[in-house]
Amino acid sequence: MRRTLVLLAVAAAVAVPIAAVPAADAAPVLVLGADGHVRTREDPYLPPAAPLPAPAPVDAVPRARAAAAGPSVPAELRRLQAAGTLDPATAAGYHDAYVAARDTLRRLHGYRRTQLAAVLGQVRAAAAGGRFIPSRLPALFLTLQRNRAWWAAAPIPAPGRRMTFQGSRIVWQHYPGQGLQIQWLGTFGKANALWRSGDHDPDLRRLLDEALGLATQRAGGIAFEYQFTFDGGRPPWVSGLAQGTALSALSRAAVRLSAPAYFDAARSALGIFRTPPPQGVRVDTPAGAHYLQYSYAPSQRIVNGFTQALNGLHDFAALANDDEGRALFASGEAELRTELPAFDTGAWSLYSRAATGGGGMESDLGYHELLRDFLRGLCDRLTADARRAASVGGTEASPAPDPAPYCQTATRFTDDLRTPPVLAIAPQRLRQKGSGAIRFTVDKVSWVTITIRRGSTVVLQRTARLGRGRHRIGFRPAKAGPHTITLRAVDLAGNAATATGALSVAPAAAKRRRAP
């Protein structure tokens, strides 16, 4: 199942007191200084990263063949310069960065070589695939330069570790097999935290200006692209979750800093929300529109990313008083209102479902809390809208959407964090030395231990992480007689429950004698 590149960056509601918004805890970040030394710093404005599995390393052979089949990096830079879309000095700078990375690669070995080779491969594949457009090159070549600087001398970071570089406010993350990549969600999560602090406006401005310099023209506007392969999605791809978080940061900064240019940037960033995949994230539905977590996965529905995309659209629409923003929000909100009940199991939340419905993957603890917090944000926004509408006597063109579904679901998800799992096991019957199974159910994802005893003797004990639903554990009893089954489940929030059941083991069937 696909996993979102998720950081716990929760945007505040426009008209909600700051205290109502979860505060960012200090998070460790590695900083590569101009002197080449790496220092660890606790960043109070960088929300903690979710514990995500790294994407699987990409097979370099097909990528190398694809790059060899198309234009080279130098050839594409020459083409853009000849066309007048890239000035000679900029083209020369990109060429020098490419040559320097290639030369550094020859001196590296082992893990360091693998990471820098992957990023070089990404640049070559972009050139060969016709993806060299002027607006994409700043992020692409900055990624190459940062990776060259890091892998040439800096310590090898743990998978998923985040870092930044002296003089820069962009957040990067280590993805094994993909090198260091811009973490847009972390970057804009930090921007929102700086806005919440109220006393770091110069840092907020510098961060947003730096980020906008790395935006790419896409879907009729700008987008913050990911330039690496993730879970089968080929670059460049975009995320409704990250772009929605960017909308909040840009819109808030436009007001706080009296900088309408940030509204213009946010308005341009609406493009992916009006455009279908793979360029955008909009999937039209009978109720309205779903905004995708990943532009490369149109059939997957990830509710935390969808909810946060709506929070960002709401912030922009409200702060910029923008009609298109309101329309995009309204289409998505109507769809989320339809989808949300299917993500509430009654005991826990689902992380994702297929567009066709059915099944679904349960959230881990971080995603469950993240979804709860995003829903709280949407609840607070719509509650504020309703109060504002009531205060003006209902003269608005259309009534504010009812916040109750989002408020109530967020409350249930909070209750889930304190509610033990429910286990059920019925009396069962097996035969001695015969293959069989113990059947039971659990209502939420949990670590489940099954213990089978004959008298005081433990004859089987196993522990596994199991999702909600029916399960069976194979068991071949060695002896007949009464057995006791004990189940102990501990959910992801640490709540525990037990259940017991009886197992009757009949004597082995007597062997039939063969006729003489």
Side-chain angles (χ1 to χ4, degrees):
M1 303 295 289
R2 293 182 173 91
R3 308 289 282 180
T4 180
L5 302 170
V6 122
L7 292 166
L8 302 180
V10 182
V14 172
V16 176
I18 299 299
V21 182
D25 297 322
V29 62
L30 303 177
V31 182
L32 179 59
D35 58 2
H37 290 92
V38 174
R39 299 169 179 85
T40 301
R41 178 167 58 86
E42 294 293 324
D43 188 338
Y45 303 105
L46 183 61
L52 300 180
V58 178
D59 188 344
V61 175
R63 185 174 54 198
R65 289 175 179 168
S72 67
V73 171
E76 281 296 275
L77 292 174
R78 289 193 297 270
R79 178 185 66 79
L80 292 174
Q81 185 177 339
T85 57
L86 199 62
D87 65 84
T90 302
Y94 290 152
H95 183 269
D96 290 347
Y98 174 72
V99 171
R102 193 179 57 189
D103 291 344
T104 297
L105 182 68
R106 296 191 183 104
R107 300 193 298 270
L108 298 180
H109 303 279
Y111 191 84
R112 296 176 184 277
R113 180 181 178 86
T114 299
Q115 305 313 302
L116 183 56
V119 177
L120 265 169
Q122 292 159 8
V123 176
R124 288 167 174 160
R131 300 195 301 272
F132 261 32
I133 60 173
S135 63
R136 182 172 291 134
L137 299 187
L140 199 61
F141 280 92
L142 180 63
T143 301
L144 185 61
Q145 290 172 308
R146 295 307 198 201
N147 275 270
R148 173 180 175 265
W150 192 278
W151 300 114
I156 295 176
R161 193 67 188 269
R162 290 175 306 179
M163 59 282 296
T164 188
F165 295 78
Q166 185 175 335
S168 170
R169 286 158 181 79
I170 298 296
V171 178
W172 299 75
Q173 191 161 352
H174 174 212
Y175 294 95
Q178 306 280 351
L180 311 183
Q181 299 292 334
I182 297 175
Q183 226 311 336
W184 285 119
L185 190 57
T187 296
F188 289 113
K190 179 173 181 174
N192 280 301
L194 289 169
W195 171 83
R196 283 198 297 272
S197 75
D199 57 0
H200 285 78
D201 289 354
D203 287 334
L204 175 60
R205 186 188 296 273
R206 284 193 287 268
L207 185 154
L208 292 179
D209 289 347
E210 189 177 359
L212 287 171
L214 300 174
T216 300
Q217 292 294 317
R218 182 181 179 126
I222 62 170
F224 300 97
E225 292 182 335
Y226 290 91
Q227 300 293 340
F228 63 103
T229 299
F230 186 76
D231 201 20
R234 297 287 177 176
W237 51 272
V238 290
S239 166
L241 170 61
Q243 195 98 340
T245 305
L247 288 176
S248 290
L250 290 166
S251 302
R252 291 162 168 171
V255 175
R256 169 74 60 75
L257 305 176
S258 299
Y262 291 141
F263 276 143
D264 295 337
R267 189 171 289 108
S268 182
L270 297 179
I272 69 167
F273 295 106
R274 70 171 80 97
T275 306
Q279 282 297 302
V281 297
R282 181 187 182 97
V283 176
D284 287 321
T285 70
H290 180 96
Y291 301 126
L292 299 169
Q293 180 94 306
Y294 303 115
S295 58
Y296 60 76
S299 63
Q300 189 178 40
R301 303 290 182 262
I302 299 177
V303 70
N304 64 57
F306 185 19
T307 304
Q308 178 65 348
L310 292 180
N311 285 333
L313 286 167
H314 183 282
D315 288 348
F316 169 70
L319 291 170
N321 191 25
D322 186 89
D323 287 339
E324 184 181 18
R326 276 191 285 269
L328 292 171
F329 172 80
S331 293
E333 191 278 324
E335 175 61 20
L336 179 61
R337 187 175 296 266
T338 300
E339 289 185 23
L340 186 58
F343 286 89
D344 183 355
T345 71
W348 201 249
S349 67
L350 295 183
Y351 167 78
S352 66
R353 301 176 78 245
T356 53
M361 184 175 72
E362 287 172 279
S363 303
D364 66 17
L365 179 60
Y367 286 127
H368 182 83
E369 294 176 328
L370 184 70
L371 174 57
R372 185 271 311 273
D373 292 342
F374 286 162
L375 288 170
R376 278 179 174 171
L378 187 54
C379 162
D380 291 343
R381 287 165 169 83
L382 294 182
T383 298
D385 288 348
R387 289 173 179 164
R388 192 161 45 248
S391 70
V392 298
T395 59
E396 293 186 351
S398 59
D402 180 10
Y406 310 114
C407 305
Q408 293 167 0
T409 304
T411 297
R412 284 197 298 274
F413 287 166
T414 297
D415 292 341
D416 291 342
L417 295 168
R418 300 187 291 262
T419 305
V422 176
L423 294 158
I425 178 170
Q428 302 185 45
R429 184 179 178 85
L430 296 177
R431 187 172 291 278
Q432 179 186 5
K433 297 183 180 179
S435 297
I438 307 301
R439 294 175 173 82
F440 61 92
T441 62
V442 61
D443 72 337
K444 66 166 82 171
V445 57
S446 303
W447 287 96
V448 178
T449 299
I450 180 171
T451 304
I452 302 178
R453 291 180 174 87
R454 183 177 181 274
S456 61
T457 303
V458 175
V459 295
L460 177 75
Q461 188 169 67
R462 294 181 188 171
T463 299
R465 177 168 161 165
L466 302 176
R468 68 187 176 109
R470 299 177 179 178
H471 299 280
R472 62 196 306 274
I473 301 291
F475 180 50
R476 185 183 179 94
K479 295 182 180 181
H483 291 60
T484 301
I485 304 168
T486 302
L487 295 175
R488 185 175 191 271
V490 180
D491 70 14
L492 303 185
N495 304 295
T498 59
T500 59
L503 169 63
S504 176
V505 178
K511 294 183 179 179
R512 294 182 180 180
R513 292 185 177 182
R514 292 185 180 180

